[in-house]
Protein backbone atom coordinates (compact mmCIF):
# COMPACT_ATOMS: atom_id res chain seq x y z
CA UNK A 1 0.00 0.00 0.00
CA UNK A 2 2.86 2.39 0.86
CA UNK A 3 4.68 1.61 -2.40
CA UNK A 4 1.61 2.22 -4.53
CA UNK A 5 1.00 5.52 -2.76
CA UNK A 6 4.62 6.49 -3.39
CA UNK A 7 4.13 5.99 -7.13
CA UNK A 8 1.08 8.25 -7.45
CA UNK A 9 3.13 11.19 -8.68
CA UNK A 10 5.08 9.47 -11.42
CA UNK A 11 2.31 8.44 -13.86
CA UNK A 12 0.86 11.95 -13.96
CA UNK A 13 4.34 13.47 -14.38
CA UNK A 14 5.13 11.02 -17.19
CA UNK A 15 1.92 11.86 -19.05
CA UNK A 16 2.68 15.55 -18.66
CA UNK A 17 6.15 15.11 -20.10
CA UNK A 18 4.76 13.09 -23.04
CA UNK A 19 2.26 15.88 -23.72
CA UNK A 20 5.04 18.47 -23.60
CA UNK A 21 7.07 16.37 -26.04
CA UNK A 22 4.08 16.16 -28.40
CA UNK A 23 3.67 19.96 -28.40
CA UNK A 24 7.40 20.36 -29.02
CA UNK A 25 7.35 17.96 -31.99
CA UNK A 26 4.35 19.71 -33.53
CA UNK A 27 6.08 23.08 -33.34
CA UNK A 28 4.07 24.52 -30.45
CA UNK A 29 7.08 25.75 -28.49
CA UNK A 30 5.16 28.14 -26.19
CA UNK A 31 2.73 25.41 -25.14
CA UNK A 32 5.55 22.93 -24.55
CA UNK A 33 7.54 25.38 -22.41
CA UNK A 34 4.42 26.41 -20.49
CA UNK A 35 3.51 22.81 -19.75
CA UNK A 36 7.05 21.99 -18.63
CA UNK A 37 7.06 24.98 -16.27
CA UNK A 38 3.70 23.88 -14.86
CA UNK A 39 5.01 20.35 -14.28
CA UNK A 40 8.13 21.62 -12.53
CA UNK A 41 6.07 23.98 -10.36
CA UNK A 42 3.66 21.23 -9.36
CA UNK A 43 6.51 18.87 -8.64
CA UNK A 44 8.15 21.42 -6.34
CA UNK A 45 4.80 22.16 -4.69
CA UNK A 46 4.03 18.52 -4.01
CA UNK A 47 7.48 17.02 -3.50
CA UNK A 48 9.69 19.79 -2.08
CA UNK A 49 10.11 20.54 1.64
CA UNK A 50 7.46 22.80 3.15
CA UNK A 51 8.79 26.13 4.45
CA UNK A 52 6.43 28.31 6.51
CA UNK A 53 8.42 31.03 8.26
CA UNK A 54 6.31 33.59 10.12
CA UNK A 55 7.58 36.95 11.35
CA UNK A 56 6.74 38.05 14.90
CA UNK A 57 3.88 40.32 13.81
CA UNK A 58 2.27 38.10 11.16
CA UNK A 59 0.33 35.63 13.30
CA UNK A 60 -1.84 35.81 16.40
CA UNK A 61 -3.08 39.39 16.35
CA UNK A 62 -6.36 41.05 15.34
CA UNK A 63 -5.51 44.07 13.18
CA UNK A 64 -6.75 47.39 14.50
CA UNK A 65 -8.35 49.94 12.14
CA UNK A 66 -5.80 52.35 10.73
CA UNK A 67 -2.82 50.29 11.94
CA UNK A 68 -0.58 47.83 10.18
CA UNK A 69 -0.11 44.32 11.58
CA UNK A 70 3.33 45.36 12.81
CA UNK A 71 1.91 48.37 14.66
CA UNK A 72 -0.90 46.28 16.12
CA UNK A 73 1.47 43.59 17.36
CA UNK A 74 3.81 46.12 18.92
CA UNK A 75 0.93 47.93 20.65
CA UNK A 76 -0.44 44.66 22.07
CA UNK A 77 3.01 43.76 23.30
CA UNK A 78 3.42 47.16 24.96
CA UNK A 79 0.10 47.37 26.81
CA UNK A 80 -0.49 43.73 27.77
CA UNK A 81 -0.24 42.86 31.47
CA UNK A 82 2.59 40.41 32.08
CA UNK A 83 1.48 38.85 35.37
CA UNK A 84 3.76 37.30 38.02
CA UNK A 85 6.19 35.50 35.76
CA UNK A 86 8.48 32.57 36.56
CA UNK A 87 12.17 32.99 35.69
CA UNK A 88 12.50 33.65 31.98
CA UNK A 89 15.34 31.28 31.00
CA UNK A 90 14.97 27.70 32.29
CA UNK A 91 18.07 25.51 32.44
CA UNK A 92 18.36 22.99 29.60
CA UNK A 93 19.17 22.24 25.97
CA UNK A 94 17.77 24.46 23.19
CA UNK A 95 17.81 24.35 19.40
CA UNK A 96 19.94 27.00 17.72
CA UNK A 97 19.41 26.10 14.06
CA UNK A 98 19.06 23.15 11.70
CA UNK A 99 22.27 21.48 10.48
CA UNK A 100 21.42 22.26 6.86
CA UNK A 101 21.39 25.99 7.69
CA UNK A 102 25.11 25.94 8.55
CA UNK A 103 27.52 24.94 5.80
CA UNK A 104 31.22 24.27 6.34
CA UNK A 105 33.06 27.58 6.72
CA UNK A 106 29.82 29.50 7.34
CA UNK A 107 29.05 31.69 10.36
CA UNK A 108 25.63 32.81 11.62
CA UNK A 109 24.67 35.59 14.04
CA UNK A 110 21.98 34.23 16.41
CA UNK A 111 20.08 35.88 19.26
CA UNK A 112 19.37 33.53 22.16
CA UNK A 113 18.66 34.24 25.87
CA UNK A 114 18.98 37.94 25.09
CA UNK A 115 22.58 37.38 23.97
CA UNK A 116 24.32 37.51 20.60
CA UNK A 117 26.20 34.33 19.72
CA UNK A 118 28.31 33.38 16.72
CA UNK A 119 27.56 29.90 15.38
CA UNK A 120 30.06 28.58 12.85
CA UNK A 121 31.14 25.31 11.27
CA UNK A 122 34.87 24.66 11.14
CA UNK A 123 36.76 22.81 8.47
CA UNK A 124 36.54 19.70 10.64
CA UNK A 125 32.78 19.79 10.03
CA UNK A 126 31.96 20.52 13.66
CA UNK A 127 29.60 23.31 14.74
CA UNK A 128 30.77 25.74 17.43
CA UNK A 129 28.83 28.30 19.48
CA UNK A 130 30.69 31.23 21.07
CA UNK A 131 29.89 34.73 22.32
CA UNK A 132 29.58 37.03 19.33
CA UNK A 133 31.54 40.01 20.64
CA UNK A 134 35.31 40.16 20.34
CA UNK A 135 36.91 40.94 23.75
CA UNK A 136 39.40 43.25 22.03
CA UNK A 137 37.17 46.16 20.94
CA UNK A 138 33.72 44.57 20.77
CA UNK A 139 33.29 43.79 17.06
CA UNK A 140 30.64 41.18 16.24
CA UNK A 141 32.50 38.07 15.11
CA UNK A 142 29.44 36.83 13.19
CA UNK A 143 29.08 40.01 11.11
CA UNK A 144 31.88 39.79 8.56
CA UNK A 145 33.88 37.27 10.56
CA UNK A 146 35.72 34.59 8.60
CA UNK A 147 36.16 30.91 9.44
CA UNK A 148 39.78 29.77 9.17
CA UNK A 149 40.35 26.13 10.05
CA UNK A 150 38.42 25.58 13.27
CA UNK A 151 38.73 29.22 14.33
CA UNK A 152 36.75 32.36 13.65
CA UNK A 153 38.60 35.51 12.63
CA UNK A 154 37.43 38.92 13.84
CA UNK A 155 36.55 41.25 10.94
CA UNK A 156 37.98 44.28 12.80
CA UNK A 157 41.63 43.38 13.54
CA UNK A 158 42.00 39.74 12.48
CA UNK A 159 42.17 38.15 15.93
CA UNK A 160 41.44 34.42 15.66
CA UNK A 161 39.50 32.48 18.29
CA UNK A 162 39.36 28.70 18.53
CA UNK A 163 35.84 27.25 18.45
CA UNK A 164 36.65 24.43 20.84
CA UNK A 165 37.57 26.55 23.88
CA UNK A 166 37.31 30.18 22.71
CA UNK A 167 41.04 30.82 23.18
CA UNK A 168 42.69 33.43 20.96
CA UNK A 169 45.39 31.68 18.91
CA UNK A 170 46.56 34.52 16.65
CA UNK A 171 46.86 38.31 16.70
CA UNK A 172 48.35 39.35 13.31
CA UNK A 173 50.27 42.37 14.62
CA UNK A 174 51.27 41.10 18.11
CA UNK A 175 54.38 39.17 19.11
CA UNK A 176 52.53 37.20 21.77
CA UNK A 177 48.92 36.25 22.41
CA UNK A 178 47.93 36.87 26.08
CA UNK A 179 46.87 33.71 27.89
CA UNK A 180 43.69 35.40 29.09
CA UNK A 181 42.59 36.41 25.57
CA UNK A 182 39.49 34.31 24.90
CA UNK A 183 35.74 34.44 24.34
CA UNK A 184 33.05 32.45 26.13
CA UNK A 185 32.09 29.16 24.50
CA UNK A 186 28.68 27.56 24.90
CA UNK A 187 28.32 23.79 25.43
CA UNK A 188 26.75 22.50 22.24
CA UNK A 189 25.98 19.30 20.38
CA UNK A 190 24.70 18.33 16.95
CA UNK A 191 22.29 15.47 16.39
CA UNK A 192 18.92 14.82 14.76
CA UNK A 193 20.05 17.25 12.02
CA UNK A 194 20.09 20.22 14.40
CA UNK A 195 22.57 22.19 16.53
CA UNK A 196 21.66 22.55 20.20
CA UNK A 197 23.15 24.70 22.95
CA UNK A 198 23.11 24.16 26.72
CA UNK A 199 22.06 26.99 29.05
CA UNK A 200 22.47 27.00 32.82
CA UNK A 201 22.30 30.21 34.81
CA UNK A 202 25.17 29.05 37.09
CA UNK A 203 27.37 27.79 34.27
CA UNK A 204 26.92 24.15 35.32
CA UNK A 205 27.77 21.53 32.69
CA UNK A 206 24.94 19.49 31.08
CA UNK A 207 23.28 17.08 33.52
CA UNK A 208 21.39 15.15 30.84
CA UNK A 209 21.70 14.56 27.12
CA UNK A 210 19.35 14.87 24.16
CA UNK A 211 18.10 11.47 22.93
CA UNK A 212 19.02 10.47 19.40
CA UNK A 213 16.24 9.75 16.92
CA UNK A 214 17.75 6.74 15.16
CA UNK A 215 15.67 7.04 11.97
CA UNK A 216 16.89 10.63 11.43
CA UNK A 217 20.52 9.82 12.13
CA UNK A 218 20.47 6.82 9.77
CA UNK A 219 18.66 8.70 6.98
CA UNK A 220 15.67 6.34 7.03
CA UNK A 221 13.47 9.37 7.70
CA UNK A 222 14.14 12.38 5.48
CA UNK A 223 13.59 16.10 5.96
CA UNK A 224 10.23 17.28 4.63
CA UNK A 225 9.91 20.83 5.88
CA UNK A 226 9.93 23.37 8.68
CA UNK A 227 7.71 26.03 10.21
CA UNK A 228 8.94 28.90 12.35
CA UNK A 229 7.02 31.28 14.59
CA UNK A 230 7.96 34.05 16.99
CA UNK A 231 5.63 34.12 19.99
CA UNK A 232 5.17 36.92 22.49
CA UNK A 233 4.82 34.99 25.77
CA UNK A 234 6.71 33.32 28.59
CA UNK A 235 8.39 30.07 27.55
CA UNK A 236 6.50 27.97 30.12
CA UNK A 237 3.14 28.83 28.55
CA UNK A 238 3.95 26.82 25.41
CA UNK A 239 4.74 23.33 26.78
CA UNK A 240 2.03 23.72 29.43
CA UNK A 241 -0.54 23.16 26.70
CA UNK A 242 0.35 19.46 26.72
CA UNK A 243 -1.22 19.07 30.17
CA UNK A 244 -4.15 21.41 29.46
CA UNK A 245 -6.45 18.71 28.15
CA UNK A 246 -9.60 20.85 28.28
CA UNK A 247 -8.26 23.39 25.78
CA UNK A 248 -7.89 20.67 23.13
CA UNK A 249 -11.59 19.87 23.25
CA UNK A 250 -12.54 23.53 22.87
CA UNK A 251 -9.85 25.33 20.88
CA UNK A 252 -8.87 22.50 18.54
CA UNK A 253 -12.16 20.69 17.88
CA UNK A 254 -13.19 22.96 14.98
CA UNK A 255 -11.90 21.67 11.64
CA UNK A 256 -8.55 22.84 10.35
CA UNK A 257 -10.53 24.04 7.31
CA UNK A 258 -11.78 26.96 9.43
CA UNK A 259 -8.25 28.32 9.80
CA UNK A 260 -6.40 29.82 12.76
CA UNK A 261 -8.16 33.16 13.32
CA UNK A 262 -10.23 32.53 16.45
CA UNK A 263 -12.94 34.92 15.29
CA UNK A 264 -13.91 32.47 12.55
CA UNK A 265 -12.94 28.98 13.68
CA UNK A 266 -16.48 28.19 14.84
CA UNK A 267 -18.09 29.26 11.61
CA UNK A 268 -21.08 27.10 10.62
CA UNK A 269 -19.64 26.85 7.13
CA UNK A 270 -17.08 24.29 8.32
CA UNK A 271 -19.17 22.73 11.06
CA UNK A 272 -19.58 19.47 9.11
CA UNK A 273 -15.98 18.47 10.01
CA UNK A 274 -14.52 18.16 13.51
CA UNK A 275 -11.46 16.86 15.32
CA UNK A 276 -11.62 14.71 18.44
CA UNK A 277 -8.68 14.42 20.82
CA UNK A 278 -8.03 11.83 23.52
CA UNK A 279 -5.01 12.90 25.55
CA UNK A 280 -3.01 11.68 28.52
CA UNK A 281 0.00 13.52 30.00
CA UNK A 282 2.43 12.21 32.62
CA UNK A 283 5.97 13.01 33.80
CA UNK A 284 8.57 10.28 33.49
CA UNK A 285 10.29 8.78 36.58
CA UNK A 286 14.01 8.70 37.35
CA UNK A 287 16.45 8.68 35.63
CA UNK A 288 14.38 10.58 33.06
CA UNK A 289 12.64 13.02 35.39
CA UNK A 290 13.54 15.82 32.95
CA UNK A 291 11.16 14.20 30.43
CA UNK A 292 7.39 13.94 30.18
CA UNK A 293 5.13 12.09 27.79
CA UNK A 294 1.81 12.90 26.12
CA UNK A 295 -0.21 10.17 24.41
CA UNK A 296 -2.63 11.54 21.85
CA UNK A 297 -5.23 9.81 19.70
CA UNK A 298 -6.75 11.97 16.99
CA UNK A 299 -10.04 11.13 15.28
CA UNK A 300 -11.52 13.13 12.39
CA UNK A 301 -15.28 13.29 11.83
CA UNK A 302 -17.19 14.33 8.71
CA UNK A 303 -20.94 14.79 9.16
CA UNK A 304 -20.68 12.91 12.44
CA UNK A 305 -18.98 9.86 10.93
CA UNK A 306 -15.34 8.86 11.35
CA UNK A 307 -12.91 9.48 8.51
CA UNK A 308 -10.30 6.78 9.35
CA UNK A 309 -7.66 8.05 6.91
CA UNK A 310 -6.94 10.98 9.26
CA UNK A 311 -7.06 9.02 12.52
CA UNK A 312 -3.52 9.35 13.88
CA UNK A 313 -1.76 8.16 17.03
CA UNK A 314 0.91 10.51 18.38
CA UNK A 315 3.43 10.02 21.18
CA UNK A 316 4.85 13.40 22.18
CA UNK A 317 7.89 13.19 24.44
CA UNK A 318 9.11 16.43 25.98
CA UNK A 319 12.83 16.49 26.79
CA UNK A 320 13.72 19.36 29.09
CA UNK A 321 12.09 22.78 28.81
CA UNK A 322 12.40 23.30 25.06
CA UNK A 323 12.44 20.09 22.98
CA UNK A 324 9.53 17.80 22.03
CA UNK A 325 9.58 14.68 19.82
CA UNK A 326 6.15 14.19 18.22
CA UNK A 327 6.15 10.64 16.79
CA UNK A 328 3.47 9.76 14.24
CA UNK A 329 2.37 6.24 13.45
CA UNK A 330 -0.32 5.43 10.87
CA UNK A 331 -1.07 2.19 9.03
CA UNK A 332 -1.43 3.97 5.66
CA UNK A 333 0.20 7.40 6.05
CA UNK A 334 3.40 5.94 7.49
CA UNK A 335 5.72 6.98 10.31
CA UNK A 336 7.62 10.14 11.09
CA UNK A 337 8.49 12.72 13.71
CA UNK A 338 8.05 16.44 14.21
CA UNK A 339 10.80 18.06 16.26
CA UNK A 340 9.06 20.85 18.16
CA UNK A 341 11.65 23.23 19.64
CA UNK A 342 11.13 26.35 21.76
CA UNK A 343 14.09 28.72 22.12
CA UNK A 344 14.02 31.96 24.14
CA UNK A 345 15.17 34.92 22.05
CA UNK A 346 14.33 37.50 24.72
CA UNK A 347 12.54 37.16 28.07
CA UNK A 348 9.08 37.25 26.46
CA UNK A 349 9.88 36.35 22.87
CA UNK A 350 10.15 32.68 21.87
CA UNK A 351 11.26 31.20 18.57
CA UNK A 352 9.29 28.01 17.93
CA UNK A 353 10.20 25.64 15.10
CA UNK A 354 8.61 22.45 13.85
CA UNK A 355 10.85 20.30 11.64
CA UNK A 356 9.34 17.16 10.13
CA UNK A 357 11.21 13.98 9.13
CA UNK A 358 9.27 11.22 7.42
CA UNK A 359 9.68 7.85 5.76
CA UNK A 360 11.55 8.28 2.47
CA UNK A 361 9.14 6.00 0.59
CA UNK A 362 6.06 8.07 1.51
CA UNK A 363 5.13 10.84 -0.99
CA UNK A 364 6.22 14.26 0.27
CA UNK A 365 2.66 15.55 0.00
CA UNK A 366 1.71 13.47 3.08
CA UNK A 367 4.14 15.09 5.56
CA UNK A 368 3.48 18.46 3.91
CA UNK A 369 -0.21 18.02 4.66
CA UNK A 370 0.51 16.97 8.26
CA UNK A 371 2.74 20.00 8.77
CA UNK A 372 0.18 22.37 7.31
CA UNK A 373 -2.55 20.94 9.55
CA UNK A 374 -0.25 21.17 12.58
CA UNK A 375 0.60 24.77 11.67
CA UNK A 376 -3.07 25.81 11.51
CA UNK A 377 -3.83 24.27 14.90
CA UNK A 378 -0.64 25.69 16.42
CA UNK A 379 -1.44 29.21 15.22
CA UNK A 380 -4.70 29.07 17.15
CA UNK A 381 -2.60 28.69 20.29
CA UNK A 382 -0.34 31.52 19.12
CA UNK A 383 -3.32 33.87 19.09
CA UNK A 384 -4.01 32.93 22.72
CA UNK A 385 -0.37 33.16 23.86
CA UNK A 386 0.28 36.52 22.19
CA UNK A 387 -2.57 38.19 24.03
CA UNK A 388 -2.85 36.43 27.40
CA UNK A 389 -1.59 37.26 30.88
CA UNK A 390 0.39 34.72 32.87
CA UNK A 391 -1.43 33.84 36.10
CA UNK A 392 0.87 32.33 38.70
CA UNK A 393 -2.01 31.12 40.89
CA UNK A 394 -4.76 30.19 38.41
CA UNK A 395 -8.33 29.36 39.35
CA UNK A 396 -8.46 25.65 38.52
CA UNK A 397 -11.17 23.00 38.76
CA UNK A 398 -10.63 19.30 39.42
CA UNK A 399 -10.43 18.54 35.70
CA UNK A 400 -7.50 20.99 35.37
CA UNK A 401 -5.25 18.98 37.70
CA UNK A 402 -2.82 18.27 34.84
CA UNK A 403 -1.87 21.95 34.68
CA UNK A 404 -0.80 22.03 38.33
CA UNK A 405 1.13 18.77 37.87
CA UNK A 406 2.88 20.17 34.80
CA UNK A 407 3.95 23.32 36.66
CA UNK A 408 5.42 21.25 39.48
CA UNK A 409 7.30 19.14 36.91
CA UNK A 410 8.55 22.17 34.95
CA UNK A 411 9.82 23.91 38.11
CA UNK A 412 12.88 21.58 38.11
CA UNK A 413 14.37 23.65 35.27
CA UNK A 414 14.60 26.76 37.45
CA UNK A 415 17.25 27.35 40.10
CA UNK A 416 17.73 30.16 42.67
CA UNK A 417 19.82 32.27 40.28
CA UNK A 418 17.60 31.84 37.21
CA UNK A 419 17.14 35.29 35.63
CA UNK A 420 13.77 36.96 36.12
CA UNK A 421 11.93 39.44 33.94
CA UNK A 422 12.90 43.08 34.44
CA UNK A 423 10.35 45.70 33.38
CA UNK A 424 11.74 47.87 30.61
CA UNK A 425 10.78 51.51 30.39
CA UNK A 426 12.28 52.09 26.98
CA UNK A 427 10.76 51.19 23.61
CA UNK A 428 9.55 47.64 23.09
CA UNK A 429 9.77 47.89 19.31
CA UNK A 430 11.18 44.85 17.52
Amino acid sequence: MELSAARLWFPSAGLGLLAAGFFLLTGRLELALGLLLLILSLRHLLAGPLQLLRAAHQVGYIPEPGSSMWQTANEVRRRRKKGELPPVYPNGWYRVLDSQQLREGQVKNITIFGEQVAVFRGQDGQAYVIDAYCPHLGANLAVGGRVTGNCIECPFHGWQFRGEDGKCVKIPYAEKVPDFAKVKTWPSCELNCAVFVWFHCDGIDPSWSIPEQEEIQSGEWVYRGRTEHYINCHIQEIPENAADIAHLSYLHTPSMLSGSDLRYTRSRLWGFAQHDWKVEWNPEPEPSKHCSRMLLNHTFYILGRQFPLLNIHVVARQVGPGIVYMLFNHSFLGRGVILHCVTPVEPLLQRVTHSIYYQANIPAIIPRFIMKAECIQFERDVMIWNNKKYISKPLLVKEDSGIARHRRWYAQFYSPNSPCFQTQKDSLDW
Side-chain angles (χ1 to χ4, degrees):
M1 188 174 291
E2 291 176 357
L3 290 175
S4 62
R7 296 190 186 107
L8 287 177
W9 158 254
F10 297 103
S12 57
L15 289 174
L17 290 171
L18 284 174
F22 171 77
F23 288 134
L24 191 60
L25 289 172
T26 56
R28 300 176 184 178
L29 182 59
E30 294 86 353
L31 286 174
L33 290 175
L35 191 55
L36 283 171
L37 287 173
L38 178 61
I39 291 169
L40 291 174
S41 299
L42 286 174
R43 187 179 186 280
H44 175 75
L45 179 66
L46 298 177
L50 180 70
Q51 298 285 348
L52 293 174
L53 311 180
R54 311 293 199 197
H57 65 278
Q58 287 183 312
V59 176
Y61 298 100
I62 297 176
E64 297 182 356
S67 299
S68 66
M69 283 296 291
W70 182 90
Q71 291 170 324
T72 297
N74 197 53
E75 181 62 20
V76 170
R77 191 182 193 209
R78 184 190 65 81
R79 70 186 180 210
R80 189 186 66 173
K81 291 186 179 296
K82 308 296 187 295
E84 298 179 10
L85 297 170
V88 292
Y89 301 140
N91 302 319
W93 285 102
Y94 296 92
R95 173 193 171 276
V96 180
L97 43 67
D98 288 345
S99 296
Q100 63 180 354
Q101 295 177 278
L102 191 68
R103 301 186 305 274
E104 184 177 312
Q106 190 175 20
V107 57
K108 291 288 185 77
N109 187 29
I110 304 289
T111 304
I112 185 171
F113 315 118
E115 303 282 350
Q116 298 286 303
V117 297
V119 186
F120 69 95
R121 192 180 297 283
Q123 291 182 355
D124 60 355
Q126 185 170 340
Y128 300 99
V129 183
I130 66 173
D131 271 2
Y133 298 115
C134 178
H136 176 216
L137 283 175
N140 192 319
L141 300 170
V143 180
R146 188 168 62 96
V147 176
T148 60
N150 299 325
C151 300
I152 186 168
E153 184 178 276
C154 177
F156 202 6
H157 298 89
W159 290 33
Q160 292 183 7
F161 298 91
R162 196 160 53 203
E164 180 182 358
D165 54 12
K167 183 170 176 29
C168 182
V169 297
K170 180 181 178 181
I171 300 176
Y173 54 88
E175 293 182 2
K176 182 181 179 182
V177 177
D179 292 337
F180 52 83
K182 63 184 305 184
V183 294
K184 174 186 173 182
T185 58
W186 294 70
S188 62
C189 68
E190 185 170 9
L191 78 166
N192 301 330
C193 295
V195 178
F196 298 89
V197 69
W198 170 263
F199 171 87
H200 196 288
C201 61
D202 298 316
I204 297 175
D205 290 336
S207 54
W208 46 271
S209 58
I210 302 171
E212 177 183 295
Q213 187 66 45
E214 181 181 346
E215 293 87 349
I216 296 178
Q217 295 290 94
S218 67
E220 180 183 345
W221 291 353
V222 296
Y223 174 76
R224 292 302 191 190
R226 173 171 65 96
T227 66
E228 182 177 272
H229 295 80
Y230 286 84
I231 303 173
N232 178 25
C233 73
H234 187 278
I235 183 175
Q236 186 176 312
E237 302 260 32
I238 297 172
E240 190 169 284
N241 262 16
D244 184 4
I245 296 173
H247 101 281
L248 285 168
S249 299
Y250 189 79
L251 188 64
H252 298 293
T253 288
S255 165
M256 61 186 176
L257 299 172
S258 59
S260 59
D261 191 322
L262 302 185
R263 295 172 294 173
Y264 311 117
T265 53
R266 295 189 173 272
S267 168
R268 292 183 180 180
L269 178 63
W270 306 109
F272 65 89
Q274 289 190 329
H275 303 274
D276 182 70
W277 314 86
K278 304 297 181 189
V279 183
E280 180 182 343
W281 177 87
N282 285 294
E284 295 186 14
E286 291 281 9
S288 300
K289 69 173 186 175
H290 60 279
C291 299
S292 67
R293 192 177 295 261
M294 180 179 73
L295 305 179
L296 184 149
N297 286 305
H298 169 264
T299 307
F300 191 62
Y301 288 90
I302 297 179
L303 298 175
R305 302 185 66 176
Q306 280 197 36
F307 187 63
L309 184 63
L310 295 183
N311 292 351
I312 299 179
H313 175 70
V314 180
V315 177
R317 190 187 191 208
Q318 170 130 12
V319 181
I323 304 170
V324 179
Y325 294 73
M326 300 171 62
L327 289 157
F328 293 84
N329 192 352
H330 193 280
S331 58
F332 174 72
L333 300 181
R335 299 172 63 237
V337 64
I338 291 179
L339 296 181
H340 163 94
C341 298
V342 185
T343 302
V345 178
E346 298 173 1
L348 296 180
L349 183 63
Q350 318 302 325
R351 179 169 59 247
V352 180
T353 59
H354 294 85
S355 301
I356 190 166
Y357 295 84
Y358 223 78
Q359 283 180 248
N361 63 336
I362 296 294
I365 193 172
I366 300 298
R368 285 175 63 95
F369 172 78
I370 291 174
M371 277 292 278
K372 183 61 179 177
E374 164 69 17
C375 184
I376 291 171
Q377 294 286 5
F378 181 75
E379 288 182 356
R380 294 181 186 179
D381 291 303
V382 173
M383 192 168 231
I384 297 291
W385 291 322
N386 278 354
N387 296 277
K388 77 186 294 294
K389 169 187 173 182
Y390 181 84
I391 298 182
S392 59
K393 297 178 180 178
L395 178 60
L396 302 176
V397 296
K398 180 180 68 174
E399 290 77 9
D400 293 324
S401 61
I403 297 173
R405 290 172 60 222
H406 189 277
R407 290 192 175 190
R408 289 194 295 270
W409 172 79
Y410 200 87
Q412 67 181 296
F413 305 116
Y414 304 125
S415 50
N417 294 323
S418 291
C420 295
F421 179 74
Q422 301 294 325
T423 303
Q424 298 179 359
K425 294 183 180 179
D426 54 347
S427 171
L428 289 175
D429 286 0
W430 284 301

